[in-house]
Amino acid sequence: TGDQVRIFQGRFSIMCGALAQDGRTLALAENGPVIHVFDAATGTPKLQMTGAKNRAEAVALSPDGRRAASGDGGDILLWSVEDPKELRRL
């Protein structure tokens, strides 16, 4: 519809973001090495994925919102969103 649904507020500058296909999980990458994950329906912060060397230039979520991928200065990081840890660096 083009209507605003929710505003996600924080003290960070967003570089990029992704909404899972199921509409329940939102990932927002800040201008730094942290990716913030929110419950998209409530706007409640769920967790932060940290450990990147650089800022994320891109972020994507799996359709069910359980996995994430981010671009980190030439590397691709694969993350577990349920247990916020880096699974693999490509």
Side-chain angles (χ1 to χ4, degrees), residues 2-19:
D3 294 336
Q4 180 176 301
V5 175
R6 181 158 323 283
I7 296 174
F8 292 85
Q9 296 182 351
R11 297 174 189 230
F12 44 82
S13 175
I14 301 301
M15 293 299 297
C16 55
L19 179 65

Side-chain angles (χ1 to χ4, degrees), residues 9-46:
Q9 296 182 351
R11 297 174 189 230
F12 44 82
S13 175
I14 301 301
M15 293 299 297
C16 55
L19 179 65
Q21 188 175 3
D22 67 7
R24 293 187 280 190
T25 304
L26 175 70
L28 299 175
E30 67 176 42
N31 186 11
V34 179
I35 298 171
H36 303 271
V37 179
F38 295 87
D39 179 305
T42 65
T44 305
K46 292 171 72 174

Side-chain angles (χ1 to χ4, degrees), residues 44-68:
T44 305
K46 292 171 72 174
L47 55 94
Q48 293 180 351
M49 295 184 291
T50 61
K53 296 176 187 174
N54 303 293
R55 71 179 186 205
E57 299 291 336
V59 64
L61 288 167
S62 62
D64 62 8
R66 297 177 59 202
R67 300 284 186 261

